[in-house]
Amino acid sequence: MDRLPVSIDRNSPEPLQSQLRQALIAAIHAGKMAPGQKVLSSRALAEKLGIARNTATAVYDELVARGYLEAQPRRGLFVATRGQGKGQSVAGASVVDWQARIGVTPSKLNHIRKPLNWQDYPYPFIFGQVDPRLFPLNAWRNSSRDTLGRASLDWWAADRAVDDDPMLIEQIRTRILPERGIYARPEEILITLGAQEGFYLLAQLLAGAGKRVGCEMPGYPDSRFIFEMSGAQSVPLPIDEKGARIASGQGLDLALLTPGAHCPSMVMMPGPRRDEILARASQDDFLIIEDDYEGEVAFAREPALKSRDRDGRVIYLGTLSKTLAPGVRLGFLVAPEPLVKEARWLRRLVHRSVPLNNQRTAAIFLAEGHYLSLLRKLRAAHADRWYRVMEHLPDLLPGFRAPDPCHGGSSVWLELPAGVDGRELIAAAGAEGILLENGDPFVAPEQAGRFIRLGLSLIQTEAIVPGMRLLGEIAARLAQEGVSGPNENAALDQSGAQAAS
């Protein structure tokens, strides 16, 4: 171990001890420290890294306890040879042909992707991230502290395989759902790991081979992927200025809709279209899954589609991720009791209950009024940012087209000018500090490169205009390059055709 396979970053907020522990474990798993290899003494390691010897000793002691290192009397410390940490081995590659064994390959789907370092961009036009400057951290910390009190701990620390926190259910039932025009009994509500899990549970229970599922096109790709992977056939539902259209006689079993704010265009479905779709569902006997991903934070909104449902055909999916944080992973499903019952027991087979400590913390946060206060701040911020984009769109981004009518929300869906390819624009903008959302996962393959999404949940209002100005300059440059390139190619093609004739 003459060459030290680990390093530490003194500018990182991560404690040195934690950095060193993680670096050593990573080096062992990567094979940079082989089984049976002797490691530096704590004194030598501390000297090489310029840290206190007590820090190195504490890390070594912990890795011995975890089974990553072995102490041999009078010889020193060695990388363990009988498996690494909880039985994992770093030696040898798998001989299994995994490509032949794996039945499905979700990694190959056209997923929505965001760079992990989005915080480093001066102009982060990305969707779905929570602005930490608006989040009431002290209120959440106090709610977390109350969750650790004896009364709460006795509830959430127990093994409650299928239960949800009754306090959170009550807060959702009485504070969140009525604002969306929904009134439900506790047994009609299920807590999920975000709306994404709701889609998965419903796909397993209601879809499968032989089922036809209507999916908005353009639309949210993940819900479509989840239902297609169940074996169901997806049926594209066209979008116009009023949202999704569903024609009669398509033989649908389910329809996945975003009526409150169509994903990704943010078009709001008006009342008459909602009534038309509900009547169609009754006539053709299909169910509707309403994904109300924007409902809580939208500043332009109306009651949920489910509020008009009289037949119990609409299954409602809500999320707290757009308000609290994506990492909290809390959402909820509202449906008739027989479906919720089966979803609850199916959830048990996947991971049992949703972490009850997170449920209780969110319940306290809601009960004490912090959630409503946060919503007001988010709606005001999103409105400010959205109006700023729309005000400057014609001047700063000429040729870019927003939907008409364009309803407010936490993002703006834009069709690109002629001669500008979205993939090239995203790459060029990223190189100059502008982070954009690729529109390709939302649209049909033949529309690839035609759209981008400007997310507004994170970017600061004062950064919007300079970011748009720079983006417009980059787009103009690409358009000019596109004009010259195709003309040259066309001339070559024409001369080639003449020669061939």
Side-chain angles (χ1 to χ4, degrees):
M1 192 174 165
D2 294 333
R3 290 184 59 201
L4 202 60
V6 298
S7 62
I8 58 173
D9 180 6
R10 296 190 178 277
N11 295 321
S12 171
E14 189 82 14
L16 294 178
Q17 186 170 319
S18 177
Q19 286 190 54
L20 179 57
R21 180 179 64 251
Q22 293 173 19
L24 287 169
I25 291 174
I28 292 172
H29 281 298
K32 296 178 181 178
M33 298 172 64
Q37 175 183 335
K38 186 175 183 179
V39 302
L40 291 174
S41 68
S42 59
R43 183 188 299 277
L45 179 63
E47 289 177 354
K48 281 185 173 289
L49 294 177
I51 60 177
R53 185 182 179 186
N54 288 345
T55 300
T57 300
V59 170
Y60 276 168
D61 289 345
E62 186 171 352
L63 295 186
V64 169
R66 292 191 186 189
Y68 285 97
L69 301 179
E70 293 178 342
Q72 297 184 16
R74 295 186 297 277
R75 295 193 60 206
L77 289 176
F78 295 81
V79 178
T81 58
R82 295 189 298 274
Q84 310 298 330
K86 300 184 179 179
Q88 299 176 16
S89 175
V90 299
S94 175
V95 297
V96 177
D97 182 358
W98 289 109
Q99 295 302 317
R101 297 290 185 101
I102 296 174
V104 294
T105 53
S107 65
K108 296 182 180 180
L109 298 172
N110 191 10
H111 294 283
I112 301 170
R113 302 177 188 274
K114 296 179 175 67
L116 296 179
N117 64 332
W118 49 261
Q119 298 97 328
D120 298 335
Y121 287 75
Y123 308 108
F125 287 103
I126 60 170
F127 177 81
Q129 299 298 328
V130 172
D131 188 343
R133 286 152 291 207
L134 298 178
F135 188 77
L137 185 58
N138 288 335
W140 183 258
R141 183 183 293 114
N142 291 337
S143 299
S144 300
R145 186 180 299 113
D146 291 344
T147 299
L148 297 176
R150 174 56 59 187
S152 292
L153 188 144
D154 288 343
W155 164 259
W156 64 257
D159 183 6
R160 304 181 185 277
V162 298
D163 291 339
D164 288 318
D165 189 331
M167 184 179 181
L168 180 57
I169 292 290
E170 186 64 11
Q171 292 302 313
I172 291 172
R173 190 181 74 84
T174 60
R175 292 179 183 253
I176 293 178
L177 292 179
E179 187 176 332
R180 310 298 297 131
I182 300 172
Y183 299 90
R185 294 177 288 117
E187 53 270 27
E188 295 175 322
I189 303 172
L190 178 77
I191 304 301
T192 62
L193 290 172
Q196 202 88 349
E197 185 185 33
F199 283 122
Y200 177 81
L201 296 175
L202 294 172
Q204 298 302 308
L205 293 171
L206 301 175
K211 301 291 186 179
R212 289 170 59 83
V213 180
C215 301
E216 296 170 330
M217 184 56 67
Y220 182 50
D222 289 6
S223 59
R224 184 176 78 253
F225 295 155
I226 289 170
F227 278 83
E228 287 177 344
M229 291 187 71
S230 77
Q233 177 188 355
S234 63
V235 179
L237 302 178
I239 304 298
D240 61 19
E241 71 280 0
K242 299 177 182 178
R245 301 199 315 267
I246 303 180
S248 179
Q250 296 194 69
L252 298 182
D253 296 286
L254 286 159
L256 312 180
L257 303 178
T258 54
H262 167 252
C263 179
S265 73
M266 290 286 167
V267 167
M268 186 187 303
M269 184 181 290
R273 175 66 60 84
R274 295 179 185 225
D275 291 338
E276 176 187 324
I277 285 179
L278 288 172
R280 183 81 66 212
S282 179
Q283 175 186 315
D284 292 357
D285 191 24
F286 60 84
L287 303 175
I288 296 172
I289 298 175
E290 178 181 11
D291 177 14
D292 198 17
Y293 69 99
E294 182 85 356
E296 285 295 281
V297 297
F299 60 91
R301 64 194 189 283
E302 65 174 58
L305 177 66
K306 186 168 179 59
S307 68
R308 296 170 178 256
D309 179 24
R310 299 295 176 263
D311 298 339
R313 292 183 177 276
V314 179
I315 303 158
Y316 180 88
L317 290 178
T319 179
L320 302 180
S321 296
K322 303 296 186 300
T323 309
L324 298 178
V328 174
R329 304 312 310 147
L330 284 176
F332 50 93
L333 181 155
V334 184
E337 183 179 356
L339 179 59
V340 170
K341 175 184 176 181
E342 298 307 324
R344 186 178 304 280
W345 285 95
L346 175 59
R347 186 189 66 179
R348 180 192 182 279
L349 295 178
V350 181
H351 57 73
R352 303 167 81 86
S353 61
V354 173
L356 293 170
N357 57 331
N358 286 351
Q359 289 197 44
R360 179 53 59 95
T361 301
I364 295 171
F365 190 79
L366 274 156
E368 295 188 352
H370 303 304
Y371 185 80
L372 181 57
S373 176
L374 175 58
L375 278 182
R376 292 192 183 110
K377 288 197 295 184
L378 291 175
R379 290 169 183 168
H382 290 174
D384 192 15
R385 295 166 186 175
W386 185 84
Y387 284 114
R388 186 69 60 94
V389 169
M390 299 309 297
E391 175 188 358
H392 294 279
L393 183 63
D395 296 331
L396 298 182
L397 296 177
F400 286 71
R401 290 200 307 126
D404 184 21
C406 188
H407 299 96
S410 59
S411 68
V412 179
W413 179 247
L414 294 175
E415 184 175 0
L416 300 179
V420 177
D421 184 280
R423 292 153 294 193
E424 296 178 1
L425 179 62
I426 289 169
E432 299 194 40
I434 304 173
L435 181 57
L436 304 171
E437 296 257 347
N438 192 340
D440 289 359
F442 302 92
V443 301
E446 59 269 21
Q447 291 185 304
R450 294 299 310 128
F451 297 90
I452 60 170
R453 179 165 68 165
L454 296 184
L456 305 177
S457 59
L458 181 68
I459 189 167
Q460 296 302 288
T461 305
E462 60 270 16
I464 288 175
V465 169
M468 291 176 65
R469 180 177 292 109
L470 179 57
L471 178 61
E473 294 169 357
I474 296 170
R477 185 175 71 238
L478 292 176
Q480 183 61 38
E481 293 172 357
V483 167
S484 59
N487 287 341
E488 293 172 2
N489 293 335
L492 290 173
D493 291 342
Q494 186 176 11
S495 62
Q498 291 173 346
S501 62

